[in-house]
Amino acid sequence: MGKFLFFTSWVLLSCFCCRTIKGEIFTSISQMTDLIYTEKELVQSLREYIKAEESKLTAVKSWAKKLDALTRVSTSDPEGYLAHPVNAYKLMKRLNTEWSELESLVLQNPSDGFVSNMSVHRQYFPDEEDETGAAKALMRLQDTYQLDSEAFSRGKLPGMHSNAVLTVDDCFDMGKTAYNDADYYHAVLWMQQSLKQLDGGEEAVVSKAEILDYLSYSVYQMGDLPRAIELTRRLVAIDSSHQRAGGNLRYFEKLLFKQLQESNQSYQPASEEPIHLGTYSRPKDHLPERETYEALCRGEGLQMNEARRSRLFCRYHDGRRNPRLLLKPLKEEDEWDSPHIVRYLNILADEEIAKIKELAKPRLARATVRDPKTGVLTTANYRVSKSAWLEAEDDPVIARVNQRIEDITGLTVDTAELLQVANYGVGGQYEPHYDFSRRPFDSNLKVDGNRLATFLNYMSDVEAGGATVFPDFGAAIWPRKGTAVFWYNLFKSGEGDYRTRHAACPVLVGSKWVSNKWIHERGQEFRRPCGLTEVD
């Protein structure tokens, strides 16, 4: 725009000159030669203007071509496309960051149609918080399923290989997200991957100096002084005038010298091995059974031995001769012996699942948990999913599903909670928790009692991840579309069965849909009588 104004001003100036020398225009060659050079400069200015516009148009065409190919793939199977966590992260990043860059490019010479269209849709775009959340979801998957950064970067996930790759700049942004959250463990992993790809010859906007700056300090925060010194020396070699590198290097060297003196050890050069998953210990967090929980999610540490397996059976289930199940009993499989967990096959037809999802989608909102101190529902980082609540009056399908649950379990659903539908997307999880409330009960449980039992419908298959695991006794139950699992959360005495602490593992590849019914105590007095002991 500045060059266009410059061009316009020159035109006005030349016209002004024409007017002032009009009487001498054919007799003063010297003044005319000035106009020749003026015109030449105008032409050069015009060419620069055209070149700038062509360069901008070329960039916009390149964007359009890339995004056209991308949207053809993504819109052909939206759920399948977003099932891959890298695709979901890059969608968040594109809409939050890259489309804004394109908007700025176009705004250099405003295009009203494009800008107005952007304004209409911008309100629906993910924001920085969403992009950060998607990045953290990838890191959560990385931890749970022990995937190194290169596996993600190259689209190599268990059981599949995809062309959904992360560039140098993507990896840098992942590392920066972790760094800004003081998560130096993941910052190291992703900055190292960014540096590796840059050293491999990939083009990038970010410079090697920028990567080394973040990486060296993150390595220092992880307590690896020799490697932090080596990386900082590389940074100084690239940019000797870097405002922090020199000071950091002197500080790191002084600190290492002091440590060696105090421990009476000799200096050992930094390892030449690249930093990868397992080089540094992952920081401990709030979850005591973190390692057990994540091992179960990977299919490791399962406690189903042959002796236990021999006590599991499958059978036909008619709900104690329930009239609606007599002619068409259900197939029931034991998943675990104690506590007893069963799976029912062919619980929901594809048409019913489709209807439930259709009803739930407009109502999906970030799932909440009840704060044990305040009793207020709030979102939490340990539960990452979207959920909706459906009433029997919403559609005959919901009423039919409620009745089916009552027929199967023999328990009344009159005091049960509404049917909750949940969708777990990229990195979606629910860390170990109890379905029942521990005393003192929340006010909402004083009327209908505690959550006696859980009936969980699986409404989709999941390509990888997404198991329901029980860390206390080492069980893992894998989603199978159309099936349901059922267990009691309370003993017959009304005491909570603490063995039923369970978790929904992060979805690695796929989109996990479930619906569940929490059945409460009231109304079950003659359907599930009290036991003689506390743990019956």
Side-chain angles (χ1 to χ4, degrees):
M1 179 61 75
K3 289 176 180 177
F4 180 75
L5 291 173
F6 172 73
F7 168 73
T8 305
S9 64
W10 266 110
V11 172
L12 293 173
L13 177 60
S14 63
C15 291
F16 176 76
C17 290
C18 288
R19 289 194 293 271
T20 56
I21 61 173
K22 186 174 181 181
E24 303 176 3
I25 192 165
F26 299 108
T27 60
S28 178
I29 299 299
S30 63
Q31 289 179 325
M32 290 182 67
T33 56
D34 290 342
L35 292 176
I36 293 293
Y37 288 108
T38 299
E39 188 178 40
K40 182 179 179 181
E41 192 169 342
L42 284 171
V43 171
Q44 180 61 29
S45 179
L46 180 60
R47 288 189 181 278
E48 290 175 1
Y49 171 76
I50 293 170
K51 185 178 179 180
E53 287 294 314
E54 287 178 341
S55 175
K56 182 171 65 178
L57 188 58
T58 299
V60 173
K61 283 182 177 179
S62 176
W63 269 85
K65 183 177 180 182
K66 179 181 74 173
L67 294 169
D68 185 49
L70 193 62
T71 53
R72 275 202 303 270
V73 174
S74 61
T75 55
S76 64
D77 179 14
E79 279 209 0
Y81 177 82
L82 291 174
H84 197 293
V86 168
N87 284 335
Y89 165 68
K90 294 192 75 169
L91 176 64
M92 293 290 183
K93 183 182 176 187
R94 278 198 307 276
L95 290 177
N96 179 49
T97 305
E98 297 177 5
W99 274 95
S100 294
E101 294 171 0
L102 178 58
E103 182 182 11
S104 298
L105 178 65
V106 174
L107 279 171
Q108 289 174 10
N109 187 16
S111 173
D112 294 338
F114 176 78
V115 174
S116 61
N117 203 20
M118 281 285 289
S119 299
V120 169
H121 294 289
R122 174 166 288 284
Q123 58 183 317
Y124 303 111
F125 281 6
D127 56 19
E128 187 172 352
E129 183 180 354
D130 294 315
E131 182 180 337
T132 299
K136 289 181 178 180
L138 290 194
M139 297 174 205
R140 187 160 58 244
L141 294 174
Q142 182 177 28
D143 293 338
T144 303
Y145 298 103
Q146 295 186 343
L147 303 168
D148 59 30
S149 302
E150 186 167 10
F152 263 120
S153 178
R154 303 305 180 195
K156 297 177 181 177
L157 297 179
M160 71 176 300
H161 183 80
S162 169
N163 60 358
V165 298
L166 293 170
T167 64
V168 172
D169 295 306
D170 290 332
C171 294
F172 175 78
D173 288 341
M174 289 282 294
K176 196 172 178 181
T177 296
Y179 182 92
N180 291 338
D181 206 33
D183 177 5
Y184 301 109
Y185 172 79
H186 289 106
V188 166
L189 293 176
W190 287 101
M191 289 298 174
Q192 166 75 16
Q193 182 60 30
S194 181
L195 183 63
K196 181 178 179 180
Q197 292 179 211
L198 190 65
D199 286 341
E202 284 188 32
E203 293 185 1
V205 174
V206 66
S207 68
K208 183 177 289 190
E210 286 181 274
I211 299 173
L212 285 170
D213 188 17
Y214 281 97
L215 180 58
S216 59
Y217 188 77
S218 298
V219 167
Y220 156 68
Q221 287 289 345
M222 293 305 296
D224 190 347
L225 275 173
R227 198 189 293 261
I229 291 170
E230 187 270 330
L231 290 167
T232 308
R233 284 173 178 166
R234 288 177 62 184
L235 173 56
V236 171
I238 293 173
D239 184 2
S240 58
S241 62
H242 194 282
Q243 60 179 358
R244 287 184 303 276
N248 283 352
L249 181 58
R250 289 188 293 273
Y251 175 73
F252 294 161
E253 289 175 337
K254 182 179 179 180
L255 195 59
L256 180 61
F257 179 74
K258 182 181 178 182
Q259 288 182 1
L260 292 175
Q261 274 192 324
E262 290 176 351
S263 60
N264 197 25
Q265 293 179 341
S266 59
Y267 174 72
Q268 296 293 328
S271 171
E272 295 183 2
E273 289 292 316
I275 302 169
H276 51 74
L277 207 65
T279 299
Y280 302 125
S281 297
R282 182 173 153 203
K284 298 292 183 182
D285 64 8
H286 64 280
L287 202 60
E289 68 264 68
R290 170 72 64 187
E291 291 183 7
T292 302
Y293 152 56
E294 292 184 348
L296 289 172
C297 290
R298 297 190 297 271
E300 303 167 8
L302 301 175
Q303 300 301 311
M304 182 55 69
N305 54 36
E306 286 303 317
R308 173 163 265 146
R309 196 184 306 277
S310 67
R311 296 196 291 270
L312 304 183
F313 298 93
C314 58
R315 64 192 73 81
Y316 283 105
H317 176 78
D318 63 8
R320 297 180 182 176
R321 301 188 64 77
N322 184 289
R324 280 178 286 272
L325 296 177
L326 270 177
L327 296 179
K328 193 179 180 181
L330 291 169
K331 296 176 181 177
E332 181 184 78
E333 298 176 348
D334 290 330
E335 285 282 351
W336 204 260
D337 54 349
S338 180
H340 195 205
I341 304 173
V342 296
R343 186 194 296 261
Y344 297 104
L345 279 57
N346 304 320
I347 289 298
L348 295 176
D350 288 347
E351 297 78 13
E352 292 175 319
I353 290 173
K355 188 62 181 179
I356 293 171
K357 289 165 70 172
E358 177 189 329
L359 293 169
K361 281 179 181 179
R363 310 183 194 187
L364 287 176
R366 176 73 186 270
T368 57
V369 295
R370 193 172 296 279
D371 188 310
K373 295 180 180 178
T374 65
V376 176
L377 290 174
T378 181
T379 60
N381 291 331
Y382 59 83
R383 187 181 190 186
V384 185
S385 66
K386 288 199 169 184
S387 64
W389 299 85
L390 302 180
E391 301 184 50
E393 293 76 16
D394 290 333
D395 192 273
V397 166
I398 307 303
R400 193 159 64 241
V401 169
N402 289 343
Q403 183 62 59
R404 192 174 302 155
I405 292 172
E406 181 169 307
D407 293 342
I408 293 168
T409 63
L411 302 171
T412 180
V413 295
D414 290 344
T415 55
E417 296 176 43
L418 302 179
L419 187 71
Q420 182 183 218
V421 181
N423 180 221
Y424 296 80
V426 52
Q429 64 164 5
Y430 193 175
E431 289 180 355
H433 61 283
Y434 302 102
D435 277 353
F436 63 88
S437 288
R438 287 158 286 174
R439 291 187 171 90
F441 293 153
D442 298 329
S443 58
N444 66 313
L445 298 176
K446 291 179 179 177
V447 176
D448 294 328
N450 212 340
R451 288 173 174 169
L452 173 66
T454 296
F455 195 96
L456 178 64
N457 298 301
Y458 292 116
M459 303 198 302
S460 67
D461 294 312
V462 179
E463 287 87 337
T468 305
V469 298
F470 294 77
D472 185 79
F473 50 89
I477 300 173
W478 304 95
R480 284 157 55 190
K481 184 179 180 180
T483 69
V485 291
F486 174 75
W487 68 86
Y488 282 101
N489 299 304
L490 307 179
F491 290 111
K492 289 184 177 181
S493 63
E495 292 297 317
D497 186 346
Y498 284 83
R499 298 172 300 171
T500 61
R501 184 170 166 86
H502 61 286
C505 294
V507 175
L508 180 57
V509 180
S511 177
K512 179 183 175 184
W513 283 89
V514 298
S515 59
N516 64 274
K517 197 78 171 173
W518 281 310
I519 303 171
H520 285 244
E521 292 177 283
R522 298 296 174 264
Q524 321 299 347
E525 291 81 1
F526 296 103
R527 294 173 182 248
R528 195 195 189 217
C530 292
L532 298 177
T533 70
E534 192 175 276
V535 293
D536 279 352

